[in-house]
Amino acid sequence: MRLFYALVPSEREKRSILRWQEKLERASEAGRYTPSENLHMTLQFLGEIPPERVKALKEILLSVARTCGPFDLALDDYGWFAGKGQERLWYLTGSSPEAAEISDTLGQLLTENGFMVERRAFVPHVTLARRCKLRSNAVPEPAEPVTISVQRLWLMESRQIRGSTVYVPVFHVGLV
Ligand code: ATP
Ligand code: MG
């Protein structure tokens, strides 16, 4: 199973995130735009995991949830990762000490439990478009800042279904 830990916005929050995606699309000549149902923020990517290890992953998520309460996450800026040629992965970001802390704590517990973790620094991001190319001289306009009310942490599975990526919730814990 291909797994990752994530934050998942509510339907209403997703609609606000889509305003950023629309502005980006207006400034672009090409891109593969994330469908609304796939909008998320990865906290830790786990990769291919044997199903018998899922129990340990649930326990790790439960431990981390005990270390923090619900919080608001403000997303208010574009960012991008370089791709092939001029193609970029564009995302929505914002500074979030809480999300960074959760990602860190997850990383520590994963390592202690023998899981491989990503060594790159955590960049809070919600992917808006992949393989995106802006029109020459175009700059995407910002939309209204989005506040995500984070009340749950998720363990998600990434599946390929008829050529599309689909994310299936495996487990979640509430923050109190
Ligand atoms: P696709 O690979 O079909 O474009 P995807 O990247 O969204 O879709 P996955 O590759 O399964 O799907 O990744 C699930 C989540 O984990 C995504 O948010 C992705 O950006 C993130 N992710 C994937 N690989 C890594 C990695 N090596 N390090 C950190 N995060 C990753
Ligand atoms: Mg991928």
Side-chain angles (χ1 to χ4, degrees):
M1 308 169 80
R2 187 176 172 89
L3 300 175
F4 60 102
Y5 291 118
L7 304 180
V8 180
S10 69
E11 291 307 312
R12 185 195 164 89
E13 291 159 355
K14 283 180 179 178
R15 285 196 289 276
S16 311
I17 294 171
L18 291 175
R19 302 284 91 81
W20 287 79
Q21 192 183 56
E22 285 158 12
K23 304 262 190 192
L24 173 65
E25 191 162 3
R26 255 174 250 166
S28 308
E29 58 181 34
R32 295 157 63 91
Y33 298 91
T34 308
S36 166
E37 62 271 22
N38 281 7
L39 293 169
H40 70 277
M41 178 180 288
T42 297
L43 293 167
Q44 282 284 346
F45 180 69
L46 298 155
E48 202 55 43
I49 301 288
E52 60 271 22
R53 296 289 276 147
V54 169
K55 187 163 178 280
L57 292 175
K58 291 179 179 175
E59 278 159 12
I60 289 170
L61 200 60
L62 285 162
S63 310
V64 172
R66 282 193 289 270
T67 69
C68 61
F71 63 96
D72 281 353
L73 197 172
L75 299 171
D76 55 8
D77 202 5
Y78 290 109
W80 51 268
F81 297 133
K84 253 192 280 164
Q86 291 174 11
E87 289 177 353
R88 291 173 173 173
L89 181 155
W90 279 82
Y91 57 79
L92 178 58
T93 189
S95 75
S96 173
E98 293 93 344
E101 174 91 38
I102 292 171
S103 173
D104 248 47
T105 313
L106 282 169
Q108 285 164 26
L109 289 177
L110 286 167
T111 306
E112 285 168 22
N113 284 273
F115 292 94
M116 298 287 287
V117 298
E118 181 59 21
R119 283 166 48 185
R120 282 178 291 189
F122 173 68
V123 179
H125 69 282
V126 178
T127 298
L128 298 172
R130 292 186 165 73
R131 307 192 59 177
C132 188
K133 237 181 110 186
L134 295 190
R135 287 185 281 105
S136 58
N137 300 317
V139 178
E141 270 177 45
E144 283 295 307
V146 181
T147 303
I148 309 281
S149 165
V150 180
Q151 309 191 40
R152 294 189 174 88
L153 305 177
W154 296 83
L155 175 63
M156 305 289 290
E157 179 180 3
S158 167
R159 285 196 199 157
Q160 292 296 316
I161 299 179
R162 287 184 290 278
S164 304
T165 303
V166 175
Y167 303 128
V168 184
V170 174
F171 181 69
H172 73 263
V173 283
L175 299 178
V176 288

PDB file of all heavy atoms in Angstrom, residues 2-5 32 38 40-42 44-46 81 89 118-120 125 127 130 157-160 163-167, ligand 1:
ATOM      1  N   ARG A   2       0.483   2.216  -0.858  1.00  0.00           N
ATOM      2  CA  ARG A   2       1.251   3.466  -0.907  1.00  0.00           C
ATOM      3  C   ARG A   2       0.576   4.450   0.047  1.00  0.00           C
ATOM      4  O   ARG A   2      -0.584   4.822  -0.171  1.00  0.00           O
ATOM      5  CB  ARG A   2       1.238   3.981  -2.346  1.00  0.00           C
ATOM      6  CG  ARG A   2       2.124   5.168  -2.600  1.00  0.00           C
ATOM      7  CD  ARG A   2       2.088   5.506  -4.073  1.00  0.00           C
ATOM      8  NE  ARG A   2       2.770   6.738  -4.368  1.00  0.00           N
ATOM      9  CZ  ARG A   2       4.067   6.830  -4.653  1.00  0.00           C
ATOM     10  NH1 ARG A   2       4.813   5.749  -4.700  1.00  0.00           N
ATOM     11  NH2 ARG A   2       4.611   8.003  -4.904  1.00  0.00           N
ATOM     12  N   LEU A   3       1.284   4.832   1.114  1.00  0.00           N
ATOM     13  CA  LEU A   3       0.631   5.571   2.202  1.00  0.00           C
ATOM     14  C   LEU A   3       1.300   6.910   2.495  1.00  0.00           C
ATOM     15  O   LEU A   3       2.496   7.097   2.220  1.00  0.00           O
ATOM     16  CB  LEU A   3       0.656   4.722   3.479  1.00  0.00           C
ATOM     17  CG  LEU A   3      -0.057   3.361   3.429  1.00  0.00           C
ATOM     18  CD1 LEU A   3       0.168   2.591   4.731  1.00  0.00           C
ATOM     19  CD2 LEU A   3      -1.549   3.522   3.166  1.00  0.00           C
ATOM     20  N   PHE A   4       0.532   7.802   3.077  1.00  0.00           N
ATOM     21  CA  PHE A   4       1.085   9.069   3.590  1.00  0.00           C
ATOM     22  C   PHE A   4       0.171   9.625   4.673  1.00  0.00           C
ATOM     23  O   PHE A   4      -1.011   9.297   4.736  1.00  0.00           O
ATOM     24  CB  PHE A   4       1.289  10.093   2.453  1.00  0.00           C
ATOM     25  CG  PHE A   4       0.036  10.483   1.693  1.00  0.00           C
ATOM     26  CD1 PHE A   4      -0.597  11.699   1.946  1.00  0.00           C
ATOM     27  CD2 PHE A   4      -0.502   9.657   0.723  1.00  0.00           C
ATOM     28  CE1 PHE A   4      -1.746  12.086   1.237  1.00  0.00           C
ATOM     29  CE2 PHE A   4      -1.657  10.021   0.011  1.00  0.00           C
ATOM     30  CZ  PHE A   4      -2.273  11.231   0.269  1.00  0.00           C
ATOM     31  N   TYR A   5       0.756  10.437   5.547  1.00  0.00           N
ATOM     32  CA  TYR A   5      -0.023  11.164   6.551  1.00  0.00           C
ATOM     33  C   TYR A   5      -0.337  12.546   5.976  1.00  0.00           C
ATOM     34  O   TYR A   5       0.520  13.154   5.317  1.00  0.00           O
ATOM     35  CB  TYR A   5       0.781  11.372   7.826  1.00  0.00           C
ATOM     36  CG  TYR A   5       1.074  10.137   8.645  1.00  0.00           C
ATOM     37  CD1 TYR A   5       2.389   9.732   8.870  1.00  0.00           C
ATOM     38  CD2 TYR A   5       0.042   9.411   9.240  1.00  0.00           C
ATOM     39  CE1 TYR A   5       2.667   8.620   9.662  1.00  0.00           C
ATOM     40  CE2 TYR A   5       0.316   8.298  10.031  1.00  0.00           C
ATOM     41  CZ  TYR A   5       1.629   7.909  10.237  1.00  0.00           C
ATOM     42  OH  TYR A   5       1.906   6.819  11.022  1.00  0.00           O
ATOM     43  N   ARG A  32      -1.668  20.288 -15.127  1.00  0.00           N
ATOM     44  CA  ARG A  32      -2.595  19.229 -14.700  1.00  0.00           C
ATOM     45  C   ARG A  32      -3.071  19.626 -13.317  1.00  0.00           C
ATOM     46  O   ARG A  32      -2.333  19.541 -12.348  1.00  0.00           O
ATOM     47  CB  ARG A  32      -1.888  17.882 -14.677  1.00  0.00           C
ATOM     48  CG  ARG A  32      -1.445  17.424 -16.092  1.00  0.00           C
ATOM     49  CD  ARG A  32      -0.319  16.429 -16.032  1.00  0.00           C
ATOM     50  NE  ARG A  32      -0.723  15.211 -15.363  1.00  0.00           N
ATOM     51  CZ  ARG A  32      -1.231  14.154 -15.996  1.00  0.00           C
ATOM     52  NH1 ARG A  32      -1.348  14.155 -17.305  1.00  0.00           N
ATOM     53  NH2 ARG A  32      -1.590  13.096 -15.323  1.00  0.00           N
ATOM     54  N   ASN A  38      -8.866  15.672  -4.332  1.00  0.00           N
ATOM     55  CA  ASN A  38      -7.480  15.282  -4.011  1.00  0.00           C
ATOM     56  C   ASN A  38      -6.694  16.348  -3.247  1.00  0.00           C
ATOM     57  O   ASN A  38      -5.531  16.129  -2.909  1.00  0.00           O
ATOM     58  CB  ASN A  38      -6.715  14.941  -5.296  1.00  0.00           C
ATOM     59  CG  ASN A  38      -7.048  13.553  -5.822  1.00  0.00           C
ATOM     60  OD1 ASN A  38      -7.944  12.900  -5.295  1.00  0.00           O
ATOM     61  ND2 ASN A  38      -6.353  13.113  -6.850  1.00  0.00           N
ATOM     62  N   HIS A  40      -4.952  18.256  -0.501  1.00  0.00           N
ATOM     63  CA  HIS A  40      -4.497  17.824   0.827  1.00  0.00           C
ATOM     64  C   HIS A  40      -3.125  18.423   1.104  1.00  0.00           C
ATOM     65  O   HIS A  40      -2.479  18.931   0.192  1.00  0.00           O
ATOM     66  CB  HIS A  40      -4.379  16.294   0.872  1.00  0.00           C
ATOM     67  CG  HIS A  40      -3.242  15.792   0.032  1.00  0.00           C
ATOM     68  ND1 HIS A  40      -3.358  15.599  -1.334  1.00  0.00           N
ATOM     69  CD2 HIS A  40      -1.959  15.488   0.338  1.00  0.00           C
ATOM     70  CE1 HIS A  40      -2.198  15.195  -1.813  1.00  0.00           C
ATOM     71  NE2 HIS A  40      -1.317  15.118  -0.828  1.00  0.00           N
ATOM     72  N   MET A  41      -2.686  18.309   2.355  1.00  0.00           N
ATOM     73  CA  MET A  41      -1.312  18.673   2.706  1.00  0.00           C
ATOM     74  C   MET A  41      -0.630  17.441   3.301  1.00  0.00           C
ATOM     75  O   MET A  41      -1.058  16.926   4.337  1.00  0.00           O
ATOM     76  CB  MET A  41      -1.300  19.818   3.716  1.00  0.00           C
ATOM     77  CG  MET A  41       0.120  20.187   4.141  1.00  0.00           C
ATOM     78  SD  MET A  41       0.161  21.531   5.338  1.00  0.00           S
ATOM     79  CE  MET A  41      -0.281  22.909   4.280  1.00  0.00           C
ATOM     80  N   THR A  42       0.411  16.968   2.630  1.00  0.00           N
ATOM     81  CA  THR A  42       1.158  15.810   3.138  1.00  0.00           C
ATOM     82  C   THR A  42       1.987  16.232   4.356  1.00  0.00           C
ATOM     83  O   THR A  42       2.695  17.240   4.310  1.00  0.00           O
ATOM     84  CB  THR A  42       2.109  15.261   2.047  1.00  0.00           C
ATOM     85  OG1 THR A  42       1.314  14.812   0.944  1.00  0.00           O
ATOM     86  CG2 THR A  42       2.932  14.080   2.566  1.00  0.00           C
ATOM     87  N   GLN A  44       3.767  13.590   6.203  1.00  0.00           N
ATOM     88  CA  GLN A  44       4.898  12.672   6.015  1.00  0.00           C
ATOM     89  C   GLN A  44       4.504  11.673   4.937  1.00  0.00           C
ATOM     90  O   GLN A  44       3.422  11.092   4.994  1.00  0.00           O
ATOM     91  CB  GLN A  44       5.235  11.895   7.304  1.00  0.00           C
ATOM     92  CG  GLN A  44       6.020  12.678   8.338  1.00  0.00           C
ATOM     93  CD  GLN A  44       7.501  12.853   7.992  1.00  0.00           C
ATOM     94  OE1 GLN A  44       8.045  12.190   7.120  1.00  0.00           O
ATOM     95  NE2 GLN A  44       8.145  13.769   8.694  1.00  0.00           N
ATOM     96  N   PHE A  45       5.407  11.493   3.983  1.00  0.00           N
ATOM     97  CA  PHE A  45       5.177  10.504   2.925  1.00  0.00           C
ATOM     98  C   PHE A  45       5.811   9.189   3.371  1.00  0.00           C
ATOM     99  O   PHE A  45       6.946   9.173   3.858  1.00  0.00           O
ATOM    100  CB  PHE A  45       5.823  10.984   1.626  1.00  0.00           C
ATOM    101  CG  PHE A  45       5.637  10.035   0.485  1.00  0.00           C
ATOM    102  CD1 PHE A  45       4.382   9.842  -0.082  1.00  0.00           C
ATOM    103  CD2 PHE A  45       6.708   9.316  -0.022  1.00  0.00           C
ATOM    104  CE1 PHE A  45       4.204   8.961  -1.141  1.00  0.00           C
ATOM    105  CE2 PHE A  45       6.540   8.430  -1.082  1.00  0.00           C
ATOM    106  CZ  PHE A  45       5.286   8.263  -1.637  1.00  0.00           C
ATOM    107  N   LEU A  46       5.071   8.097   3.257  1.00  0.00           N
ATOM    108  CA  LEU A  46       5.551   6.805   3.755  1.00  0.00           C
ATOM    109  C   LEU A  46       5.992   5.871   2.640  1.00  0.00           C
ATOM    110  O   LEU A  46       6.845   5.008   2.848  1.00  0.00           O
ATOM    111  CB  LEU A  46       4.443   6.136   4.581  1.00  0.00           C
ATOM    112  CG  LEU A  46       4.054   6.956   5.830  1.00  0.00           C
ATOM    113  CD1 LEU A  46       2.643   6.661   6.270  1.00  0.00           C
ATOM    114  CD2 LEU A  46       5.055   6.699   6.944  1.00  0.00           C
ATOM    115  N   PHE A  81       7.674  23.976  -7.001  1.00  0.00           N
ATOM    116  CA  PHE A  81       8.850  23.121  -7.082  1.00  0.00           C
ATOM    117  C   PHE A  81       9.199  22.980  -8.563  1.00  0.00           C
ATOM    118  O   PHE A  81       8.292  22.850  -9.402  1.00  0.00           O
ATOM    119  CB  PHE A  81       8.566  21.712  -6.531  1.00  0.00           C
ATOM    120  CG  PHE A  81       8.207  21.660  -5.065  1.00  0.00           C
ATOM    121  CD1 PHE A  81       7.112  20.912  -4.631  1.00  0.00           C
ATOM    122  CD2 PHE A  81       8.959  22.332  -4.111  1.00  0.00           C
ATOM    123  CE1 PHE A  81       6.776  20.838  -3.284  1.00  0.00           C
ATOM    124  CE2 PHE A  81       8.630  22.263  -2.750  1.00  0.00           C
ATOM    125  CZ  PHE A  81       7.534  21.506  -2.341  1.00  0.00           C
ATOM    126  N   LEU A  89       5.644  22.441 -10.385  1.00  0.00           N
ATOM    127  CA  LEU A  89       4.516  22.032  -9.557  1.00  0.00           C
ATOM    128  C   LEU A  89       4.172  23.255  -8.702  1.00  0.00           C
ATOM    129  O   LEU A  89       5.017  23.720  -7.939  1.00  0.00           O
ATOM    130  CB  LEU A  89       4.913  20.833  -8.687  1.00  0.00           C
ATOM    131  CG  LEU A  89       3.832  20.251  -7.763  1.00  0.00           C
ATOM    132  CD1 LEU A  89       4.133  18.786  -7.457  1.00  0.00           C
ATOM    133  CD2 LEU A  89       3.697  21.032  -6.456  1.00  0.00           C
ATOM    134  N   GLU A 118      11.277  10.766   4.754  1.00  0.00           N
ATOM    135  CA  GLU A 118      11.797  11.719   3.799  1.00  0.00           C
ATOM    136  C   GLU A 118      12.809  12.620   4.505  1.00  0.00           C
ATOM    137  O   GLU A 118      12.540  13.139   5.587  1.00  0.00           O
ATOM    138  CB  GLU A 118      10.595  12.528   3.290  1.00  0.00           C
ATOM    139  CG  GLU A 118      10.864  13.559   2.269  1.00  0.00           C
ATOM    140  CD  GLU A 118      11.481  13.013   1.016  1.00  0.00           C
ATOM    141  OE1 GLU A 118      11.353  11.795   0.745  1.00  0.00           O
ATOM    142  OE2 GLU A 118      12.113  13.813   0.310  1.00  0.00           O
ATOM    143  N   ARG A 119      13.979  12.832   3.913  1.00  0.00           N
ATOM    144  CA  ARG A 119      15.004  13.636   4.586  1.00  0.00           C
ATOM    145  C   ARG A 119      14.927  15.124   4.257  1.00  0.00           C
ATOM    146  O   ARG A 119      15.510  15.941   4.948  1.00  0.00           O
ATOM    147  CB  ARG A 119      16.392  13.084   4.263  1.00  0.00           C
ATOM    148  CG  ARG A 119      16.689  11.813   5.068  1.00  0.00           C
ATOM    149  CD  ARG A 119      17.881  11.077   4.548  1.00  0.00           C
ATOM    150  NE  ARG A 119      19.007  11.984   4.332  1.00  0.00           N
ATOM    151  CZ  ARG A 119      20.154  11.592   3.786  1.00  0.00           C
ATOM    152  NH1 ARG A 119      20.306  10.340   3.417  1.00  0.00           N
ATOM    153  NH2 ARG A 119      21.133  12.452   3.613  1.00  0.00           N
ATOM    154  N   ARG A 120      14.183  15.434   3.167  1.00  0.00           N
ATOM    155  CA  ARG A 120      14.045  16.863   2.829  1.00  0.00           C
ATOM    156  C   ARG A 120      13.259  17.592   3.908  1.00  0.00           C
ATOM    157  O   ARG A 120      12.379  17.015   4.557  1.00  0.00           O
ATOM    158  CB  ARG A 120      13.275  17.001   1.505  1.00  0.00           C
ATOM    159  CG  ARG A 120      14.125  16.707   0.286  1.00  0.00           C
ATOM    160  CD  ARG A 120      13.295  16.806  -0.981  1.00  0.00           C
ATOM    161  NE  ARG A 120      12.321  15.707  -1.057  1.00  0.00           N
ATOM    162  CZ  ARG A 120      11.594  15.437  -2.117  1.00  0.00           C
ATOM    163  NH1 ARG A 120      11.710  16.184  -3.195  1.00  0.00           N
ATOM    164  NH2 ARG A 120      10.750  14.431  -2.131  1.00  0.00           N
ATOM    165  N   HIS A 125       2.565  22.405   1.937  1.00  0.00           N
ATOM    166  CA  HIS A 125       2.034  22.756   0.613  1.00  0.00           C
ATOM    167  C   HIS A 125       0.834  21.923   0.214  1.00  0.00           C
ATOM    168  O   HIS A 125       0.759  20.740   0.522  1.00  0.00           O
ATOM    169  CB  HIS A 125       3.130  22.645  -0.453  1.00  0.00           C
ATOM    170  CG  HIS A 125       3.568  21.244  -0.745  1.00  0.00           C
ATOM    171  ND1 HIS A 125       4.417  20.544   0.079  1.00  0.00           N
ATOM    172  CD2 HIS A 125       3.262  20.412  -1.767  1.00  0.00           C
ATOM    173  CE1 HIS A 125       4.634  19.342  -0.432  1.00  0.00           C
ATOM    174  NE2 HIS A 125       3.939  19.228  -1.551  1.00  0.00           N
ATOM    175  N   THR A 127      -0.843  20.956  -3.221  1.00  0.00           N
ATOM    176  CA  THR A 127      -0.556  21.007  -4.659  1.00  0.00           C
ATOM    177  C   THR A 127      -1.781  21.472  -5.439  1.00  0.00           C
ATOM    178  O   THR A 127      -2.869  20.901  -5.323  1.00  0.00           O
ATOM    179  CB  THR A 127      -0.104  19.617  -5.163  1.00  0.00           C
ATOM    180  OG1 THR A 127       1.097  19.258  -4.474  1.00  0.00           O
ATOM    181  CG2 THR A 127       0.156  19.623  -6.670  1.00  0.00           C
ATOM    182  N   ARG A 130       0.245  20.296 -11.374  1.00  0.00           N
ATOM    183  CA  ARG A 130       1.526  19.686 -11.750  1.00  0.00           C
ATOM    184  C   ARG A 130       1.794  20.030 -13.205  1.00  0.00           C
ATOM    185  O   ARG A 130       0.873  20.328 -13.956  1.00  0.00           O
ATOM    186  CB  ARG A 130       1.435  18.169 -11.621  1.00  0.00           C
ATOM    187  CG  ARG A 130       1.305  17.694 -10.199  1.00  0.00           C
ATOM    188  CD  ARG A 130       1.370  16.174 -10.148  1.00  0.00           C
ATOM    189  NE  ARG A 130       1.600  15.740  -8.779  1.00  0.00           N
ATOM    190  CZ  ARG A 130       0.681  15.788  -7.826  1.00  0.00           C
ATOM    191  NH1 ARG A 130      -0.546  16.223  -8.099  1.00  0.00           N
ATOM    192  NH2 ARG A 130       0.966  15.413  -6.595  1.00  0.00           N
ATOM    193  N   GLU A 157      -4.240   6.442   1.797  1.00  0.00           N
ATOM    194  CA  GLU A 157      -3.643   5.564   0.796  1.00  0.00           C
ATOM    195  C   GLU A 157      -3.772   6.225  -0.566  1.00  0.00           C
ATOM    196  O   GLU A 157      -4.810   6.795  -0.894  1.00  0.00           O
ATOM    197  CB  GLU A 157      -4.358   4.200   0.773  1.00  0.00           C
ATOM    198  CG  GLU A 157      -3.757   3.281  -0.275  1.00  0.00           C
ATOM    199  CD  GLU A 157      -4.432   1.911  -0.351  1.00  0.00           C
ATOM    200  OE1 GLU A 157      -5.428   1.665   0.367  1.00  0.00           O
ATOM    201  OE2 GLU A 157      -3.958   1.097  -1.161  1.00  0.00           O
ATOM    202  N   SER A 158      -2.690   6.158  -1.342  1.00  0.00           N
ATOM    203  CA  SER A 158      -2.700   6.674  -2.713  1.00  0.00           C
ATOM    204  C   SER A 158      -2.841   5.487  -3.661  1.00  0.00           C
ATOM    205  O   SER A 158      -2.019   4.587  -3.642  1.00  0.00           O
ATOM    206  CB  SER A 158      -1.383   7.411  -2.956  1.00  0.00           C
ATOM    207  OG  SER A 158      -1.212   7.662  -4.335  1.00  0.00           O
ATOM    208  N   ARG A 159      -3.914   5.491  -4.443  1.00  0.00           N
ATOM    209  CA  ARG A 159      -4.152   4.390  -5.387  1.00  0.00           C
ATOM    210  C   ARG A 159      -4.193   4.902  -6.803  1.00  0.00           C
ATOM    211  O   ARG A 159      -4.634   6.031  -7.048  1.00  0.00           O
ATOM    212  CB  ARG A 159      -5.522   3.747  -5.112  1.00  0.00           C
ATOM    213  CG  ARG A 159      -5.538   2.882  -3.897  1.00  0.00           C
ATOM    214  CD  ARG A 159      -6.780   2.004  -3.941  1.00  0.00           C
ATOM    215  NE  ARG A 159      -7.047   1.508  -2.589  1.00  0.00           N
ATOM    216  CZ  ARG A 159      -8.233   1.101  -2.149  1.00  0.00           C
ATOM    217  NH1 ARG A 159      -9.288   1.150  -2.958  1.00  0.00           N
ATOM    218  NH2 ARG A 159      -8.364   0.658  -0.929  1.00  0.00           N
ATOM    219  N   GLN A 160      -3.785   4.066  -7.724  1.00  0.00           N
ATOM    220  CA  GLN A 160      -3.932   4.369  -9.145  1.00  0.00           C
ATOM    221  C   GLN A 160      -5.164   3.621  -9.631  1.00  0.00           C
ATOM    222  O   GLN A 160      -5.190   2.401  -9.584  1.00  0.00           O
ATOM    223  CB  GLN A 160      -2.698   3.905  -9.927  1.00  0.00           C
ATOM    224  CG  GLN A 160      -1.442   4.702  -9.591  1.00  0.00           C
ATOM    225  CD  GLN A 160      -1.572   6.176  -9.979  1.00  0.00           C
ATOM    226  OE1 GLN A 160      -2.051   6.503 -11.048  1.00  0.00           O
ATOM    227  NE2 GLN A 160      -1.149   7.062  -9.081  1.00  0.00           N
ATOM    228  N   GLY A 163      -5.625   4.873 -14.329  1.00  0.00           N
ATOM    229  CA  GLY A 163      -4.726   5.952 -14.735  1.00  0.00           C
ATOM    230  C   GLY A 163      -4.819   7.235 -13.904  1.00  0.00           C
ATOM    231  O   GLY A 163      -4.076   8.167 -14.145  1.00  0.00           O
ATOM    232  N   SER A 164      -5.743   7.280 -12.937  1.00  0.00           N
ATOM    233  CA  SER A 164      -5.836   8.481 -12.093  1.00  0.00           C
ATOM    234  C   SER A 164      -5.411   8.170 -10.670  1.00  0.00           C
ATOM    235  O   SER A 164      -5.623   7.059 -10.182  1.00  0.00           O
ATOM    236  CB  SER A 164      -7.272   8.997 -12.028  1.00  0.00           C
ATOM    237  OG  SER A 164      -7.758   9.240 -13.311  1.00  0.00           O
ATOM    238  N   THR A 165      -4.844   9.178 -10.012  1.00  0.00           N
ATOM    239  CA  THR A 165      -4.497   9.025  -8.598  1.00  0.00           C
ATOM    240  C   THR A 165      -5.734   9.303  -7.758  1.00  0.00           C
ATOM    241  O   THR A 165      -6.380  10.332  -7.919  1.00  0.00           O
ATOM    242  CB  THR A 165      -3.376  10.003  -8.224  1.00  0.00           C
ATOM    243  OG1 THR A 165      -2.252   9.761  -9.070  1.00  0.00           O
ATOM    244  CG2 THR A 165      -2.957   9.832  -6.774  1.00  0.00           C
ATOM    245  N   VAL A 166      -6.035   8.356  -6.876  1.00  0.00           N
ATOM    246  CA  VAL A 166      -7.170   8.515  -5.965  1.00  0.00           C
ATOM    247  C   VAL A 166      -6.645   8.317  -4.549  1.00  0.00           C
ATOM    248  O   VAL A 166      -5.853   7.407  -4.303  1.00  0.00           O
ATOM    249  CB  VAL A 166      -8.265   7.458  -6.274  1.00  0.00           C
ATOM    250  CG1 VAL A 166      -9.402   7.527  -5.266  1.00  0.00           C
ATOM    251  CG2 VAL A 166      -8.796   7.649  -7.693  1.00  0.00           C
ATOM    252  N   TYR A 167      -7.049   9.197  -3.625  1.00  0.00           N
ATOM    253  CA  TYR A 167      -6.631   9.060  -2.230  1.00  0.00           C
ATOM    254  C   TYR A 167      -7.770   8.487  -1.412  1.00  0.00           C
ATOM    255  O   TYR A 167      -8.878   9.002  -1.438  1.00  0.00           O
ATOM    256  CB  TYR A 167      -6.224  10.417  -1.662  1.00  0.00           C
ATOM    257  CG  TYR A 167      -5.119  11.079  -2.445  1.00  0.00           C
ATOM    258  CD1 TYR A 167      -5.241  12.385  -2.900  1.00  0.00           C
ATOM    259  CD2 TYR A 167      -3.955  10.382  -2.762  1.00  0.00           C
ATOM    260  CE1 TYR A 167      -4.236  12.991  -3.624  1.00  0.00           C
ATOM    261  CE2 TYR A 167      -2.941  10.974  -3.485  1.00  0.00           C
ATOM    262  CZ  TYR A 167      -3.092  12.276  -3.910  1.00  0.00           C
ATOM    263  OH  TYR A 167      -2.105  12.870  -4.634  1.00  0.00           O
TER     264      TYR A 167
HETATM  265  P1  ATP B   1       0.980  11.348  -8.763  1.00  0.00           P
HETATM  266  O1  ATP B   1       2.257  10.685  -8.266  1.00  0.00           O
HETATM  267  O2  ATP B   1       0.058  10.447  -9.492  1.00  0.00           O
HETATM  268  O3  ATP B   1       1.228  12.648  -9.435  1.00  0.00           O
HETATM  269  P2  ATP B   1       0.692  12.172  -6.074  1.00  0.00           P
HETATM  270  O4  ATP B   1       2.104  12.609  -6.136  1.00  0.00           O
HETATM  271  O5  ATP B   1      -0.304  13.120  -5.490  1.00  0.00           O
HETATM  272  O6  ATP B   1       0.139  11.723  -7.477  1.00  0.00           O
HETATM  273  P3  ATP B   1       1.703  10.068  -4.505  1.00  0.00           P
HETATM  274  O7  ATP B   1       2.941  10.080  -5.381  1.00  0.00           O
HETATM  275  O8  ATP B   1       1.160   8.750  -4.096  1.00  0.00           O
HETATM  276  O9  ATP B   1       0.549  10.840  -5.243  1.00  0.00           O
HETATM  277  O10 ATP B   1       1.988  10.947  -3.244  1.00  0.00           O
HETATM  278  C1  ATP B   1       1.030  11.148  -2.206  1.00  0.00           C
HETATM  279  C2  ATP B   1       1.391  12.428  -1.506  1.00  0.00           C
HETATM  280  O11 ATP B   1       2.726  12.324  -1.002  1.00  0.00           O
HETATM  281  C3  ATP B   1       1.401  13.663  -2.415  1.00  0.00           C
HETATM  282  O12 ATP B   1       1.067  14.791  -1.637  1.00  0.00           O
HETATM  283  C4  ATP B   1       2.835  13.756  -2.854  1.00  0.00           C
HETATM  284  O13 ATP B   1       3.184  15.074  -3.207  1.00  0.00           O
HETATM  285  C5  ATP B   1       3.554  13.322  -1.586  1.00  0.00           C
HETATM  286  N1  ATP B   1       4.832  12.708  -1.910  1.00  0.00           N
HETATM  287  C6  ATP B   1       5.078  11.780  -2.851  1.00  0.00           C
HETATM  288  N2  ATP B   1       6.356  11.405  -2.863  1.00  0.00           N
HETATM  289  C7  ATP B   1       6.952  12.108  -1.882  1.00  0.00           C
HETATM  290  C8  ATP B   1       8.282  12.183  -1.377  1.00  0.00           C
HETATM  291  N3  ATP B   1       9.248  11.438  -1.871  1.00  0.00           N
HETATM  292  N4  ATP B   1       8.509  13.031  -0.369  1.00  0.00           N
HETATM  293  C9  ATP B   1       7.540  13.788   0.161  1.00  0.00           C
HETATM  294  N5  ATP B   1       6.278  13.758  -0.250  1.00  0.00           N
HETATM  295  C10 ATP B   1       5.980  12.956  -1.270  1.00  0.00           C
END
